[in-house]
Amino acid sequence: MLNPPEASPAGRTAVAALVIVVTLILQVSVANRLPLPGGVQPDLVLLAVVALALVAGSMTGMVTGFLAGLAADIIPPSDHTLGRYALVYCLIGFLCGVAAAEMDRQSVVPFFAVAAGALAGTVLYAATGMILGDPRAEWATVSSMVPLQVLYDIIASPFVVWAVLRATRRYESGERSRGDRLAVPAARYRAMSGRGGAL
């Protein structure tokens, strides 16, 4: 039986880049302006990196996380040490990509995985701030802000995961449908290769 064609690496890269660009725009223009209690906002970019890593694996998660983090470091308001987001998103993307092999994409498991990734990313970002001596990353501030940040990320995660899964699934189904028009049916392939009877 013939396997369906895989989506091309260039197409996967384009979809991942589009997801990250849209998420960065939404983060800066919408999420950062939300007047939420506690003065923190959901990290849509982190959620998108985790979702892409769960869909595409550790290498895509790592590269996407690094590039998305670098963009988040540069885009205003960039009021922290350059490279913190790049480091955190890269590590979280890699770890979630490694964990993706054990998960069923059709179940609710990715939603819990994104929530866990958001928790790990938020804690890791706060920890790097403490290590680098960021005055806003004192224990009292972090202990009050991290739970709210994680809560907002968990609330936003179903929407981000749904959008990422929808974007990647639509692309993959489009690739398969285009490939299937050119594919030789399995019965005919067996007949042509001498493994079956005549057509």
Side-chain angles (χ1 to χ4, degrees):
M1 185 172 177
L2 295 177
N3 293 325
E6 296 276 333
S8 68
R12 287 182 189 274
T13 303
V15 170
L18 181 63
V19 166
I20 291 301
V21 167
V22 170
T23 308
L24 280 165
I25 292 170
L26 289 175
Q27 182 71 47
V28 172
S29 61
V30 178
N32 286 350
R33 298 174 188 271
L34 293 175
L36 297 173
V40 294
Q41 291 80 28
D43 193 341
L44 303 180
V45 181
L46 174 61
L47 296 175
V49 167
V50 173
L52 284 169
L54 292 174
V55 169
S58 58
M59 182 57 74
T60 299
M62 187 171 60
V63 173
T64 303
F66 176 77
L67 295 176
L70 196 58
D73 282 324
I74 296 169
I75 290 178
S78 55
D79 56 354
H80 56 273
T81 305
L82 184 67
R84 277 177 69 187
Y85 278 125
L87 172 65
V88 171
Y89 292 174
C90 180
L91 290 174
I92 295 300
F94 174 74
L95 293 175
C96 290
V98 169
E102 306 299 323
M103 295 180 191
D104 179 12
R105 203 174 143 182
Q106 302 300 325
S107 69
V108 295
V109 173
F111 294 95
F112 294 110
V114 170
L119 170 62
T122 303
V123 170
L124 188 58
Y125 183 77
T128 58
M130 289 181 180
I131 292 169
L132 295 172
D134 187 341
R136 295 165 300 175
E138 296 176 353
W139 176 250
T141 306
V142 168
S143 61
S144 63
M145 293 180 73
V146 166
L148 278 175
Q149 176 79 52
V150 172
L151 175 64
Y152 296 151
D153 286 347
I154 289 173
I155 291 170
S157 65
F159 304 103
V160 176
V161 173
W162 177 83
V164 171
L165 291 179
R166 187 72 185 254
T168 56
R169 187 175 297 140
R170 175 172 293 180
Y171 170 74
E172 288 171 359
S173 64
E175 285 287 322
R176 288 194 180 106
S177 65
R178 283 195 296 274
D180 286 343
R181 285 198 296 263
L182 302 174
V184 178
R188 187 170 177 187
Y189 173 77
R190 283 194 299 270
M192 290 186 329
S193 62
R195 282 182 275 176
L199 291 178

